Amino acid sequence: MKFNTKTIHGGQHNDPSTGAVMPPVFQTSTFAQTSPGKPVGDYGYSRSANPTRSALEEALASIENGAKGLAFSSGLAATDCLMRSFKAGDEIITMDDLYGGTYRMFTQIYKDSGIKFHYVDMNNLDNVTAVINENTKMIWVETPTNPLMKLADIAAIAKITTANNIMLAVDNTFGTPYLQNPIDLGADVVMHSATKYLAGHSDVVAGALIAKTAELGKQLHFQQFATGATLGPMDSFLVLRGIKTLHLRMQRHCENGEKVASFLNNHPKVKTVYYPGLVTHPFHEIAKKQMSGFGGMVSFDFVSGIKQDSITFLEKLKLFTLAESLGGVESLANHPALMTHASIPEEKRLEVGITNHLVRLSVGIEDIEDLLEDLKQALA
């Protein structure tokens, strides 16, 4: 199947008992058994597996071209499950520009775990190879990054991880499988905050892991089962419903994102626009190589360099809703330093380029004329 078809049919089956086109919401914690250890069907307890969640997980594996999909209660829960694969003495290389929640987990939750993290600029691959040693177990890539839209060359990094027998994990939340497929580029596991583009309607919090191999998928499923951060059946249903329109929504997100980025790039009050679709973006060539489009996330900062200018702009918006999160059908605006990345120390934010006057936009699927008019009036 091609991608548009896979979002609707990939890994999916009509309900065998009723013929229902969409899988029912199996709102149950447990399943009857005919004899001890012999359930009626394939399910025993919903923490281990639930038919609605299984339908979502099969769809996730299909659209990311993986062997096994797993659905979690959040993107951070998915990341934490993957982290259970490592032990004291292991080392992980990650990007210097990360989602604030991921950075908080690595620096605070795992600070006493004995796992060592290296934060590097992965656009120079020498930075990666310089810190690889016999203890290196994983490279964690987020591309495009949140909120500066940095890109990493997944295929080039995969060559390094393959040569050194290191796991490669990619946070594909911003890219989505509509725009890029990290497993096809050499990744071993893909992570999504499914809250965002996969679900797409700002009505559920969810996460996902997709493993390249059945063996890795089995290991991750055990870690998911044993720690328990699974996604409930109703939320699984909502994410699966969202996936079925992912291709249509992403097409409009990309169209609107490009036009918003172009508008901001030509506005006298805007200093820098961070959008991989602009030819002036430092990673534009990588984006063209590994992505089929440039997405709907746009960040920018102000010529004035004044924090209050960004705050006033955000307060004046009418259609763009000032809120955390992203990837929904509605347009959202965010102040990373005060909101999503507030847990990162200011000196670290400034070091990687997250200024106090940076604004991040999640461009929705509304009529572009209305969105541009809203930006015009707020900037004025």
Side-chain angles (χ1 to χ4, degrees):
M1 297 180 191
K2 296 188 181 300
F3 185 80
N4 294 351
T5 307
K6 282 201 293 185
T7 60
I8 299 169
H9 298 287
Q12 297 304 293
H13 313 281
N14 297 338
D15 178 60
S17 61
T18 65
V21 172
M22 283 295 287
V25 179
F26 285 90
Q27 198 71 50
T28 183
S29 61
T30 191
F31 301 83
Q33 301 189 18
T34 58
S35 182
K38 295 182 179 180
V40 173
D42 297 327
Y43 299 91
Y45 188 60
S46 278
R47 175 161 47 82
S48 175
N50 175 283
T52 314
R53 190 167 77 243
S54 294
L56 168 61
E57 291 173 338
E58 290 170 9
L60 290 168
S62 174
I63 61 176
E64 279 287 15
N65 299 331
K68 175 68 175 178
L70 297 166
F72 295 83
S73 55
S74 70
L76 286 172
T79 302
D80 185 57
C81 177
L82 180 61
M83 288 299 300
R84 306 284 179 166
S85 306
F86 308 105
K87 63 183 186 304
D90 291 345
E91 298 187 17
I92 293 172
I93 303 171
T94 185
M95 299 182 71
D96 59 353
D97 176 28
L98 284 176
Y99 163 57
T102 307
Y103 181 84
R104 180 176 58 234
M105 179 186 292
F106 290 174
T107 58
Q108 296 185 43
I109 300 300
Y110 283 93
K111 67 179 180 179
D112 298 321
S113 67
I115 299 172
K116 184 177 181 179
F117 293 86
H118 299 274
Y119 299 89
V120 303
D121 179 355
M122 290 191 184
N123 297 113
N124 182 347
L125 295 182
D126 290 340
N127 295 333
V128 178
T129 56
V131 291
I132 290 178
N133 59 63
E134 61 184 9
N135 297 321
T136 307
K137 302 302 180 185
M138 181 175 76
I139 294 181
W140 175 274
V141 172
E142 182 181 318
T143 181
T145 62
N146 180 2
L148 294 174
M149 312 301 159
K150 291 183 180 179
L151 273 76
D153 189 327
I154 299 172
I157 295 172
K159 290 181 180 179
I160 296 173
T161 56
T162 300
N164 290 276
N165 194 29
I166 298 169
M167 180 186 294
L168 175 56
V170 177
D171 181 341
N172 198 27
T173 300
F174 274 25
T176 80
Y178 178 81
L179 299 178
Q180 66 184 11
N181 294 112
I183 288 176
D184 290 351
L185 296 171
D188 298 293
V189 60
V190 176
M191 195 284 293
H192 283 277
S193 173
T195 308
K196 314 305 194 296
Y197 286 108
L198 295 188
H201 293 78
S202 301
D203 55 7
V204 63
V205 174
L209 291 177
I210 300 93
K212 180 179 183 178
T213 66
E215 181 182 9
L216 178 57
K218 183 178 180 179
Q219 173 193 326
L220 293 174
H221 177 258
F222 172 77
Q223 290 164 198
Q224 178 195 42
F225 162 74
T227 55
T230 55
L231 191 64
M234 188 64 217
D235 289 345
S236 296
F237 179 89
L238 291 173
V239 176
L240 182 58
R241 180 205 60 179
I243 286 175
K244 290 181 182 292
T245 60
L246 175 65
H247 55 299
L248 296 172
R249 291 183 286 104
M250 286 307 300
Q251 182 178 357
R252 178 60 67 86
H253 283 300
C254 291
E255 292 170 357
N256 284 356
E258 289 190 39
K259 291 174 182 175
V260 165
S262 178
F263 164 76
L264 292 170
N265 201 42
N266 292 292
H267 198 282
K269 292 185 179 180
V270 174
K271 179 183 178 182
T272 306
V273 178
Y274 303 90
Y275 184 72
L278 295 174
V279 295
T280 53
H281 191 283
F283 313 118
H284 178 66
E285 291 304 314
I286 295 178
K288 287 200 304 182
K289 182 176 75 167
Q290 71 185 24
M291 301 174 72
S292 61
F294 305 111
M297 298 302 300
V298 181
S299 295
F300 70 96
D301 50 22
F302 285 79
V303 169
S304 68
I306 299 173
K307 179 180 180 181
Q308 187 58 45
D309 283 352
S310 61
I311 293 173
T312 301
F313 165 79
L314 290 166
E315 291 174 345
K316 294 294 183 182
L317 290 168
K318 300 183 188 317
L319 278 182
F320 282 82
T321 300
L322 177 58
E324 297 197 5
S325 199
L326 57 102
V329 293
E330 65 289 305
S331 293
L332 301 176
N334 166 58
H335 193 288
L338 294 175
M339 297 168 69
T340 52
H341 291 66
S343 61
I344 300 177
E346 183 176 18
E347 62 272 15
K348 178 64 177 178
R349 291 199 307 266
L350 295 175
E351 181 184 321
V352 299
I354 303 174
T355 67
N356 289 322
H357 52 99
L358 182 76
V359 170
R360 189 194 74 188
L361 302 176
S362 174
V363 183
I365 64 173
E366 302 94 338
D367 285 305
I368 187 61
E369 295 83 2
D370 294 328
L371 296 180
L372 294 180
E373 188 60 37
D374 191 28
L375 294 174
K376 286 178 187 177
Q377 65 82 23
L379 286 165

